[in-house]
C-alpha cells in the first residue's frame, strides 16, 4: 500500500549503496580446471567404475529365474546377505545415475530448476556439485551451475530461499504484490547493508551483471540470473525493479522483464553472489576499460534517476501537504490512504495482493494485441463479463421456450474480430473475486451499522490497495464496527482482506451503489462515490478522451456487482451503451430534457425524504426503513452545457448528495460554473484533479473497445438479426465409422480421455484442464485466456510456454506429422479435427438428426437421436475438483448442455409418439430429465405421454411427483394449466394420495 507523501527527504529516498568499490571479477583459474578434472574422474568412477566392478565381482542384481516361493524356502546364509547388500548398492548407483542425468539435463537446457529425484537429497546434492564443477569451465557454466560456495551446504539449505520467497506473498492474487514485496525486500536488504559495520561497508554490496550472449539454444534471462545469484528465480522482479527504464549502453531501456539483450548491464540486489558479478569498477584491472566505463556510466544513471524520483516524491509531498491545508473548513477532499499497519493486523495482512491486480500487462511480457484498457480494468471487466454471461443465458432460455428467431437455441453466435479480442480481454482482466469481496464488505458494513442503530457515514471515495479496502469519509464518524478498523486518521475506515473474506452474503441494500472506478495511483485503485459529491463533478479535456472516461464510468455503473437498482441517465453520448443494461441505462437527446427531468425528480425526492423523516438517502438504506432502498440516480452529461444551463444544473446539484443524485459533466474549456470538483483527462491517459490531490492513470473505454463491447451484447440478443442466431454448432464431427477420432475426451459426465497416455501425476490435472478448455472452444483460445483460466493469480511467460510445450508433446501429432495443438493466424490455440469430445459428437448427432440426413429419413433420425441420448452420462465434468475449473463460471455451457439434452429428449419422444410408443417416449424424457430436471418442456411432454397410456393413477402419481419437485414455488402456470386439461380432478387426487 503506498504511503502518504511526506516532505521529509528521508521518507522519499530509499537507501541504496552507491559507494565505488574495487572490481572483483571471477575468471576461470587453474584451480577451476583441476576441480573440473577431479569432478570428471569422480563421475567416471561412480557412473562407470562402480557398475563394472559390481558386475565383475558380484554379478548382475537380477536373478536368472523368478521363483519367489523357492527363494523363501532357502536357508539364510552369508551369501544371502551379500546378495541383498549388492542389490542395495545397485539401487544406490541407479539413484545417483538418475540424479546426474536430471542435473545434466537442467544444466544443458538452461531452463528452470532441476527436478527432484525422490529420496535422493544427499545424492542429488553431490551430483549437482560434481556437474557444476565439471561444467564450470564451459562457456555456459554460469547459466546453470550454482555457486561453488554452496559446496558446504546441505540439500535442505539450498531449498530455503525458495520457501522463504514463497512465504512473502500470501493471498490469492499474488502476482503484482509479489513484485512489490520483492522490491521492498531488496530495499530492506540494501538498508541493512548500508547500516552495517565499517568493514562491511568497505567491501561494498552494490554489484552488477553483464547480460551474456546466447550460447547455442540457451539465452540469458532475468529468471536464470536470479536463480544463479539470488538463490530463487522468482526474485527476478527485484532485478527488474532496480533496472527498469534505465538507459543501457546501446541507448535502449529495460521495459519488460522478458526483453533483455546481450551487453546490457543489470544492477543486482545487495545479497547477490556467485561468478560473473562485478562490483563498482573504480579499480578493476581484470575488466576491459570499455566494460568498466559502461558499468560506471550505468551506475551514475541509477543515482540520477533515484535522486530525481526522490525530488519528485518530495515535490509531490509538498503538493499533497498544501492540498491537505486547502481541504479544511469542510471542503470535500480525496486523499491517498497511508501505508500503516492497522491495530491487530500483522505484516502479512499488509502484503496481501490487491483483488484488482490480476493479469495486467505489467505482469506479462506481451498483451498479444488484446485491448489493454480492459486488461487493466478488473472491476469493469468483471461486471461486463457477468452481465454478458447473464444476457447469453437469458437469450438461450428465451429462444428455447418462446421459439424466438425460429430456433430452439443452443448455440450463441461466436464473436469475431475486435469483438473476439474484447471478449478475450474481459476473460483475462476480470476479477470477479475482487467484486465479490467488495460487495460483501460494503453490505456487511451496512448490516453491522444497522445492528448498532447507527447511520451510514457519507463516503467520498474507496481505495483498493494491497488487498485492503479503505473508505474515505466526509467527516469522522466514530469507531467503525468490527472487523473494520480506523485507518490513517479518523476519516478513514479500513478492512483487511483476511477480514473481508470472513463476510458472508447478507440480505441488505447496497450502501454505496454510486462507487465507480476512475483509475489507479501508486498501485491503489480509486472508486469515487458520485452520489456523495457535494455538487457537480466536471471533466475537461479533448472530446475523444472525455468520451472514453464517460463510457468507462457508464459501463461499470451499469454492470457492477456492488449495486442494486439505480438509474443512469446519459446525455450527449452513449445511446448504444443502453444495450448493456436497458433496465439501468437511459438516453436523453438534449440538456433541456435533462433539466426538465431532474427538476421533477429533485422535487419528488425532497418530498419523499421529508415524508419519511430522513435526513438523506443513506438513512433510508439502513435501519428500519431499509426496504425503501433509495436507489441512486447518476447523470452523465458529456455535452458541454451553456452557462445558463450549467448554473441551473449547479442549483439542482447543490442538494444532490443528500438526495442520492450525482452529476458528472463534461466541458472542453475546463471552466464549468458551479462545479464542486474539477478533473481533467489528458491525451496520455492521466486523470488530474489538482485541488483533490489526485493524479491517476485513468480507467478508459476507448471508442473501438466500446463498439466491440456493444457488439457482444447486441449479438447475444435473441431478436438480433432478421433470422435470429444460427443453430449450426461451431464444430461438426464425422459421425460415421470412418470418422473415428485419434483422441476422444468424455466431458459429459466424469472426465475421461481415450487415445492418450496419462501424464505424470503432478501435471496431469493442469493438462486435463487445459485440454477441456480448448475442447469447449473449438474456435480457438487466446494464450492469455488459457493462462488466466489455469492460473487466476497470474503467471509468467516462461511457465505458460512450458505448459503449452508439454501439452503439444502430450497430444502428439497426426499421421501426416502435423501437431494436434496448433496456432492459427490470429495467434489463438486450436485443436486438430482428430481431437474430439463427446459434447462435439452430441451436438453433431442432434444437428444431423434435425437438420441433416434425419430430416428425410425417419429411421435415421430415430437412430441418431437415440445415439445422442446414450452419450449423456451426467453434468459437464461431473468429477472436477472444487479448486479447479473456476473459469466455467464465465461459460454458458452449463446452460447449453441441459437445453441440448432436453431438445434431444423432446425430439426422440416426438419420434416415438408418432408411432404411439408412449412407453418409449417416457423412457427418453426421463433420461433427459436426469440432466435437465428443471426444464418445463420435458415435464409437459412427460404429462402428455403418460396421459396417452390412459392410466389415471399413473398420471396422478406423476402430478404428485412434479408437485414435489417444484417445491414451495408450486407448479409453473403452463404445467398447471396442462394438468387441468388432462386430469381436471388432479388436485383432489393428489391430496388424497399425499
Amino acid at each position: 500500500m503506498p504511503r502518504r507523501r511526506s516532505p521529509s527527504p528521508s521518507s522519499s529516498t530509499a537507501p541504496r549503496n552507491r559507494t565505488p568499490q574495487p572490481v572483483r571479477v571471477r575468471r576461470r583459474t587453474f584451480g577451476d580446471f583441476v576441480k573440473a578434472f577431479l569432478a570428471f574422474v569422480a563421475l567416471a568412477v561412480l557412473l562407470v567404475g562402480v557398475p563394472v566392478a559390481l558386475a565383475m565381482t558380484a554379478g548382475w542384481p537380477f536373478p536368472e529365474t523368478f521363483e519367489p516361493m523357492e527363494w523363501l524356502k532357502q536357508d539364510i546364509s552369508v551369501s544371502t546377505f551379500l546378495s541383498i547388500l549388492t542389490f542395495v548398492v545397485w539401487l544406490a548407483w541407479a539413484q545417483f545415475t538418475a540424479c546426474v542425468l536430471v542435473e545434466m539435463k537442467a544444466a544443458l537446457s538452461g531452463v528452470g530448476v532441476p527436478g527432484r529425484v525422490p529420496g535422493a537429497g544427499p545424492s542429488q546434492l553431490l551430483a549437482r556439485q560434481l556437474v557444476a564443477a565439471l561444467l564450470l569451465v564451459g562457456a555456459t557454466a554460469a547459466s546453470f551451475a550454482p555457486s561453488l560456495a554452496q559446496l558446504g551446504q546441505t540439500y535442505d539449505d539450498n531449498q530455503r530461499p525458495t520457501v522463504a520467497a514463497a512465504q512473502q506473498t500470501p493471498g490469492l492474487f499474488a502476482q503484482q504484490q509479489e513484485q512489490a514485496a520483492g522490491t521492498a525486500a531488496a530495499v530492506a536488504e540494501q538498508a541493512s547493508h548500508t547500516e552495517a559495520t565499517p568493514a562491511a561497508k568497505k567491501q561494498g554490496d552494490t554489484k552488477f551483471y553483464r547480460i551474456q550472449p546466447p550460447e547455442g539454444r540457451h539465452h540469458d534471462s532475468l529468471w536464470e540470473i536470479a536463480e544463479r545469484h539470488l538463490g530463487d528465480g522468482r526474485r527476478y522482479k527485484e532485478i527488474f525493479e532496480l533496472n527498469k527504464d534505465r538507459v543501457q549502453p546501446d541507448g535502449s531501456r529495460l521495459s519488460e522483464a522478458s526483453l533483455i539483450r546481450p551487453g546490457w548491464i543489470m544492477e543486482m540486489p545487495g545479497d547477490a553472489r556467485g561468478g560473473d558479478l562485478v562490483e563498482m569498477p573504480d579499480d578493476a584491472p581484470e575488466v576491459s576499460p570499455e566494460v568498466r566505463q559502461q558499468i560506471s556510466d550505468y551506475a551514475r544513471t541509477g543515482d540520477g534517476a533515484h535522486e530525481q524520483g526522490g525530488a519528485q516524491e518530495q515535490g509531490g509531498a509538498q503538493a499533497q501537504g498544501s492540498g491537505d491545508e486547502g481541504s479544511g473548513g469542510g471542503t470535500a477532499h480525496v486523499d491517498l490512504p497511508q501505508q500503516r499497519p492497522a491495530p491487530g493486523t500483522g505484516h502479512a495482512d499488509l502484503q496481501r495482493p490487491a483483488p484488482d491486480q490480476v493479469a495486467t500487462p505489467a505482469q506479462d511480457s506481451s498483451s498479444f494485441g488484446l485491448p489493454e484498457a480492459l486488461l487493466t480494468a478488473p472491476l469493469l471487466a468483471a461486471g461486463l463479463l457477468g452481465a454478458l454471461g447473464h444476457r447469453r443465458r437469458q437469450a438461450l432460455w428465451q429462444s428455447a421456450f418462446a421459439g424466438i428467431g425460429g430456433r430452439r437455441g443452443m448455440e450463441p453466435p461466436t464473436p469475431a474480430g475486435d469483438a473476439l479480442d474484447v471478449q478475450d480481454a474481459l476473460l483475462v482482466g476480470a476479477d470477479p473475486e475482487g467484486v465479490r469481496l467488495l460487495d460483501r464488505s460494503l453490505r456487511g458494513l451496512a448490516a453491522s451499522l444497522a445492528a448498532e442503530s447507527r447511520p451510514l457515514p457519507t463516503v467520498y471515495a474507496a481505495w483498493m490497495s494491497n488487498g485492503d479496502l479503505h473508505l474515505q469519509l466526509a467527516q469522522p464518524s466514530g469507531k467503525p464496527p468490527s472487523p473494520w478498523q480506523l485507518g490513517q486518521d479518523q476519516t478513514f475506515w479500513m478492512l483487511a482482506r483476511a477480514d473481508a473474506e470472513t463476510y458472508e452474503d447478507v440480505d441488505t441494500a447496497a450502501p454505496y451503489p454510486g462507487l465507480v472506478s476512475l483509475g489507479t495511483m501508486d498501485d491503489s485503485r480509486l472508486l469515487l462515490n458520485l452520489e456523495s459529491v457535494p455538487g457537480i463533478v466536471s471533466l475537461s479535456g479533448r472530446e475523444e478522451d472525455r468520451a472514453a472516461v464517460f463510457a468507462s464510468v457508464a459501463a461499470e455503473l451499469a454492470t457492477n456487482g456492488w449495486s442494486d437498482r439505480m438509474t443512469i441517465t446519459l446525455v450527449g453520448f452513449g445511446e448504444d451503451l443502453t444495450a448493456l443494461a436497458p433496465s439501468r441505462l437511459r438516453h436523453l437527446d438534449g440538456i433541456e430534457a435533462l433539466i426538465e427531468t431532474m427538476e421533477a425528480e429533485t422535487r419528488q425526492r425532497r418530498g419523499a425524504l421529508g415524508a419519511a423523516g430522513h435526513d438523506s438517502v443513506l438513512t433510508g438504506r439502513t435501519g428500519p426503513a431499509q426496504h425503501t432502498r433509495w436507489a441512486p440516480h447518476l447523470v452523465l452529461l458529456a455535452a458541454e452545457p451553456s452557462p445558463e444551463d450549467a448554473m441551473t444544473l449547479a442549483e439542482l446539484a447543490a442538494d444532490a448528495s443528500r438526495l442520492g443524485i450525482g452529476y458528472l459533466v463534461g466541458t472542453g474549456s475546463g471552466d464549468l460554473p458551479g462545479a464542486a470538483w474539477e478533473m481533467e483527462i489528458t491525451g496520455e491517459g492521466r486523470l488530474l484533479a489538482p485541488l483533490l490531490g489526485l493524479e491517476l492513470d485513468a480507467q478508459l473505454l476507448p471508442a473501438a473497445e466500446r463498439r466491440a463491447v456493444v457488439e457482444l451484447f447486441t449479438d447475444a440478443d435473441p431478436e438480433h438479426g432478421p433470422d435470429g442466431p444460427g443453430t449450426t454448432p461451431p464444430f461438426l464431427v464425422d459421425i460415421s465409422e470412418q470418422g473415428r477420432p485419434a483422441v476422444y475426451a468424455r466431458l459429459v459426465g466424469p472426465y475421461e480421455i481415450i487415445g492418450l497416455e496419462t501424464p505424470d501425476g503432478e501435471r496431469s490435472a493442469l493438462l486435463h484442464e487445459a485440454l477441456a478448455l480448448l475442447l469447449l472452444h473449438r474456435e480457438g483460445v487466446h494464450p492469455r485466456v488459457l493462462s488466466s483460466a489455469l492460473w487466476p493469480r497470474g503467471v509468467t511467460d516462461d511457465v505458460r510456454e512450458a505448459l503449452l510445450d508439454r501439452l503439444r508433446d502430450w497430444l502428439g501429432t497426426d499421421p501426416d506429422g502435423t501437431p494436434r495443438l496448433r496456432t492459427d493466424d490470429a495467434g489463438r490455440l486450436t485443436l486438430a479435427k482428430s481431437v474430439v469430445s463427446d459434447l462435439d459428437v452430441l451436438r453433431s448427432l442432434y444437428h444431423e438428426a434435425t437438420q441433416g440426413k434425419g430430416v428425410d429419413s425417419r429411421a435415421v433420425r430415430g437412430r441418431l437421436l437415440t445415439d445422442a441420448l446414450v452419450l449423456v452420462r451426467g453434468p459437464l465434468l461431473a468429477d472436477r475438483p472444487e479448486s479447479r475449473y473456476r473459469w466455467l463460471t464465465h461459460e454458458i455451457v452449463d446452460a447449453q448442455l441441459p437445453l441440448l439434452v432436453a431438445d434431444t429428449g423432446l425430439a426422440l419422444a416426438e419420434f416415438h409418439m408418432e408411432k404411439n410408443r408412449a412407453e418409449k417416449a417416457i423412457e427418453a424424457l426421463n433420461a433427459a430429465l436426469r440432466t435437465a430436471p428443471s426444464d418445463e418442456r420435458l415435464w409437459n411432454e412427460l404429462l402428455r405421454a403418460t396421459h396417452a397410456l390412459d392410466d389415471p393413477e399413473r398420471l396422478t402419481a406423476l402430478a404428485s411427483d412434479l408437485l414435489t419437485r417444484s417445491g414451495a414455488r408450486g407448479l409453473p402456470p403452463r404445467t398447471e394449466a396442462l394438468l387441468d386439461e388432462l386430469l381436471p380432478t388432479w388436485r383432489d387426487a393428489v391430496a388424497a394420495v399425499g
Side-chain angles (χ1 to χ4, degrees):
M1 191 185 309
R3 298 179 181 271
R4 180 193 291 269
R5 295 186 176 96
S6 169
S8 172
S10 61
S11 64
S12 62
T13 304
R16 302 177 74 169
N17 186 3
R18 295 288 183 181
T19 306
Q21 298 292 339
V23 175
R24 178 171 54 84
V25 182
R26 182 72 167 88
R27 287 191 173 183
R28 307 293 180 263
T29 64
F30 178 78
D32 292 333
F33 287 93
V34 172
K35 290 179 181 178
F37 175 77
L38 294 178
F40 174 79
V41 173
L43 286 173
V45 170
L46 291 173
L47 295 180
V48 180
V50 169
V52 170
L54 287 173
M56 295 177 63
T57 59
W60 295 106
F62 301 103
E64 297 179 358
T65 60
F66 184 77
E67 298 177 350
M69 297 305 299
E70 294 295 326
W71 299 344
L72 293 175
K73 294 177 182 179
Q74 293 179 0
D75 295 334
I76 299 178
S77 60
V78 176
S79 62
T80 303
F81 282 107
L82 291 177
S83 299
I84 295 175
L85 181 61
T86 301
F87 184 78
V88 172
V89 174
W90 274 108
L91 285 180
W93 171 83
Q95 185 187 58
F96 179 78
T97 302
C99 295
V100 172
L101 293 176
V102 168
E103 295 295 330
M104 188 68 72
K105 177 181 180 298
L108 295 178
S109 64
V111 179
V113 181
R116 295 190 62 176
V117 178
S123 298
Q124 189 163 3
L125 177 60
L126 176 61
R128 179 178 304 169
Q129 293 167 352
L130 291 175
V131 170
L134 176 63
L135 299 178
L136 182 64
V137 297
T140 62
S143 67
F144 60 84
S147 172
L148 291 180
Q150 296 178 352
L151 287 176
Q153 299 178 2
T154 65
Y155 185 83
D156 292 337
D157 290 337
N158 290 334
Q159 304 302 316
R160 288 173 187 165
T162 302
V163 177
Q167 292 175 345
Q168 291 177 359
T169 55
L172 291 177
F173 303 95
Q175 187 84 356
Q176 288 188 354
Q177 178 60 17
E178 189 176 13
Q179 176 177 331
T183 305
V187 173
E189 178 71 20
Q190 292 175 4
S192 65
H193 284 297
T194 304
E195 297 170 0
T197 61
K201 290 182 179 181
K202 182 177 180 180
Q203 293 178 358
D205 57 8
T206 301
K207 304 178 181 69
F208 296 86
Y209 177 84
R210 194 165 186 264
I211 304 300
Q212 300 299 314
E215 182 74 16
R217 297 181 59 187
H218 173 70
H219 295 259
D220 231 340
S221 69
L222 293 186
W223 177 284
E224 295 176 15
I225 296 171
E227 183 71 29
R228 294 195 303 270
H229 302 298
L230 300 177
D232 188 354
R234 289 174 295 183
R235 293 185 63 186
Y236 78 92
K237 301 180 180 68
E238 299 177 32
I239 306 176
F240 176 75
E241 287 298 317
L242 288 173
N243 299 276
K244 181 182 179 182
D245 294 331
R246 291 170 63 177
V247 179
Q248 294 292 335
D250 61 357
S252 55
R253 299 174 185 266
L254 175 65
S255 59
E256 296 178 356
S258 63
L259 300 180
I260 60 175
R261 302 175 184 174
W264 280 10
I265 308 296
M266 294 288 114
E267 181 182 349
M268 301 292 289
D271 60 340
R273 62 186 184 276
D276 294 337
L277 291 181
V278 179
E279 295 184 10
M280 292 293 289
D282 283 352
D283 184 15
E286 297 180 344
V287 176
S288 67
E290 180 182 1
V291 174
R292 187 162 63 246
Q293 185 62 42
Q294 289 177 355
I295 297 178
S296 298
D297 295 341
Y298 186 77
R300 284 195 293 271
T301 63
D303 286 335
H306 185 65
E307 292 171 1
Q308 181 180 5
Q312 290 177 351
E313 287 193 15
Q314 185 172 352
Q318 294 173 353
Q320 180 70 31
S322 63
D324 289 342
E325 294 172 3
S327 65
T331 302
H333 192 76
V334 177
D335 291 329
L336 186 67
Q338 184 181 16
Q339 179 179 357
R340 55 183 297 174
T345 61
H347 181 65
D349 289 331
L350 293 177
Q351 289 189 341
R352 282 187 176 85
D356 58 344
Q357 296 177 357
V358 180
T360 61
Q363 297 170 326
D364 209 332
S365 67
S366 173
S367 62
F368 288 100
L370 297 182
E372 293 192 4
L374 293 171
L375 292 176
T376 56
L379 304 184
L380 169 61
L384 289 172
L385 193 61
L388 180 61
H390 176 75
R391 174 69 58 83
R392 286 174 172 172
R393 287 180 173 86
Q394 187 180 37
L396 285 174
W397 286 103
Q398 286 179 356
S399 59
F401 283 90
I404 295 177
R407 60 169 286 219
R408 310 173 77 178
M410 291 173 293
E411 303 299 336
T414 301
D418 291 342
L420 181 57
D421 288 339
V422 163
Q423 177 176 274
D424 287 341
L426 293 178
L427 290 168
V428 174
D431 180 17
E433 179 69 10
V435 172
R436 184 183 66 86
L437 290 179
L438 176 61
D439 181 48
R440 285 187 173 182
S441 301
L442 296 177
R443 293 181 193 267
L445 173 64
S448 300
L449 290 173
E452 299 177 6
S453 300
R454 295 172 58 185
L456 285 168
T458 300
V459 170
Y460 280 150
W463 291 92
M464 301 180 70
S465 182
N466 289 352
D468 299 337
L469 175 62
H470 298 255
L471 297 183
Q472 184 170 352
L473 314 183
Q475 58 187 4
S477 299
K479 183 179 179 180
S482 179
W484 290 78
Q485 302 170 12
L486 286 175
Q488 62 197 51
D489 56 39
Q490 295 293 322
T491 61
F492 274 92
W493 285 4
M494 191 272 286
L495 181 68
R497 179 182 179 84
D499 296 326
E501 291 173 345
T502 63
Y503 270 122
E504 301 291 339
D505 291 329
V506 294
D507 184 19
T508 188
Y512 304 111
L515 286 170
V516 63
S517 303
L518 291 185
T520 57
M521 177 180 182
D522 295 343
D523 297 328
S524 296
R525 184 168 300 276
L526 170 65
L527 288 84
L528 186 67
N529 191 6
L530 282 179
E531 66 168 332
S532 70
V533 177
I536 293 177
V537 179
S538 69
L539 177 65
S540 62
R542 297 185 306 177
E543 183 177 359
E544 57 270 25
D545 297 328
R546 298 200 316 265
V549 175
F550 274 103
S552 171
V553 170
E556 185 170 298
L557 287 173
T559 60
N560 72 57
W562 57 88
S563 301
D564 296 322
R565 297 181 300 111
M566 69 164 56
T567 300
I568 308 162
T569 299
L570 311 179
V571 185
F573 83 106
E575 185 174 5
D576 56 340
L577 289 174
T578 56
L580 273 58
S583 61
R584 284 192 182 184
L585 290 169
R586 68 176 180 179
H587 178 266
L588 296 180
D589 294 330
I591 299 178
E592 294 77 10
L594 171 67
I595 291 177
E596 181 180 355
T597 301
M598 298 313 299
E599 285 178 342
E601 182 161 351
T602 300
R603 289 192 301 267
Q604 181 183 3
R605 291 202 173 210
R606 284 174 179 166
L609 280 178
H614 297 310
D615 296 331
S616 70
V617 296
L618 287 178
T619 58
R621 289 182 186 160
T622 186
Q626 64 175 319
H627 63 277
T628 58
R629 303 281 169 152
W630 295 101
H633 186 169
L634 305 176
V635 176
L636 307 182
L637 174 58
E640 183 173 6
S642 65
E644 294 78 12
D645 292 336
M647 292 306 300
T648 302
L649 290 174
E651 293 174 359
L652 291 173
D655 198 26
S657 61
R658 186 177 70 91
L659 303 177
I661 302 175
Y663 293 88
L664 178 62
V665 181
T667 173
S669 61
D671 184 15
L672 185 69
W677 291 0
E678 297 179 345
M679 298 187 299
E680 177 187 0
I681 179 66
T682 69
E684 294 75 26
R686 302 285 292 173
L687 190 65
L688 311 178
L691 297 180
L692 301 177
L694 296 178
E695 183 175 346
L696 307 172
D697 291 321
Q699 179 172 296
L700 307 173
L701 186 59
E705 284 81 355
R706 185 189 72 187
R707 288 191 296 269
V709 166
V710 171
E711 180 181 343
L712 288 174
F713 278 81
T714 54
D715 285 349
D717 189 344
E719 298 179 342
H720 176 69
D723 300 323
T727 60
T728 302
F731 178 70
L732 290 173
V733 300
D734 184 358
I735 57 177
S736 66
E737 285 294 328
Q738 293 74 22
R740 186 177 299 274
V743 178
Y744 182 65
R746 304 179 73 183
L747 305 179
V748 184
Y751 193 0
E752 299 177 16
I753 297 180
I754 302 171
L756 291 177
E757 295 183 358
T758 303
D760 62 81
E762 295 181 357
R763 300 188 178 99
S764 178
L766 203 62
L767 292 174
H768 277 71
E769 185 175 358
L771 179 57
L773 179 61
L774 291 167
L775 285 168
L776 293 177
H777 291 276
R778 303 303 304 230
E779 72 278 7
V781 177
H782 197 286
R784 289 206 63 184
V785 174
L786 179 66
S787 61
S788 177
L790 300 181
W791 294 284
R793 306 177 189 179
V795 70
T796 56
D797 289 349
D798 52 350
V799 175
R800 179 185 60 234
E801 293 303 322
L803 172 74
L804 293 180
D805 290 340
R806 284 192 290 269
L807 186 59
R808 289 189 183 95
D809 294 339
W810 181 44
L811 292 176
T813 60
D814 285 332
D816 60 358
T818 58
R820 293 177 181 145
L821 178 62
R822 307 165 183 177
T823 303
D824 63 13
D825 296 337
R828 287 178 168 81
L829 303 169
T830 60
L831 292 173
K833 293 183 178 181
S834 58
V835 183
V836 173
S837 72
D838 55 355
L839 184 58
D840 297 327
V841 178
L842 178 61
R843 287 168 169 164
S844 300
L845 287 170
Y846 177 78
H847 179 266
E848 191 68 20
T850 56
Q851 301 182 44
K853 297 179 181 178
V855 175
D856 300 324
S857 174
R858 185 178 186 279
V860 171
R861 182 169 73 254
R863 177 176 56 81
L864 293 175
L865 292 173
T866 302
D867 291 345
L869 208 54
V870 169
L871 291 175
V872 180
R873 301 175 299 126
L876 187 75
L877 298 169
D879 57 351
R880 65 180 183 267
E882 295 182 359
S883 59
R884 307 206 67 89
Y885 298 89
R886 294 182 178 178
W887 47 269
L888 279 174
T889 58
H890 301 317
E891 305 284 340
I892 63 168
V893 68
D894 58 341
Q896 289 175 290
L897 180 59
L899 283 176
L900 176 59
V901 173
D903 285 351
T904 304
L906 290 170
L908 186 56
E910 181 183 359
F911 169 81
H912 289 304
M913 290 302 294
E914 290 176 356
K915 295 296 184 179
N916 296 320
R917 295 196 292 260
E919 287 291 355
K920 289 289 187 179
I922 292 173
E923 182 181 347
L925 292 169
N926 282 326
L929 277 169
R930 286 193 287 270
T931 300
S934 61
D935 197 310
E936 184 184 355
R937 299 172 300 163
L938 293 175
W939 292 18
N940 296 343
E941 290 304 317
L942 186 60
L943 286 172
R944 292 188 178 97
T946 305
H947 178 263
L949 296 175
D950 196 17
D951 187 347
E953 292 184 1
R954 187 169 177 178
L955 186 59
T956 301
L958 177 59
S960 178
D961 179 55
L962 294 182
L963 193 62
T964 302
R965 292 190 194 183
S966 61
R969 296 175 301 172
L971 291 174
R974 294 182 181 179
T975 304
E976 189 172 356
L978 180 61
L979 268 174
D980 289 338
E981 177 186 349
L982 301 178
L983 188 64
T985 61
W986 70 273
R987 290 180 177 84
D988 296 335
V990 168
V993 173

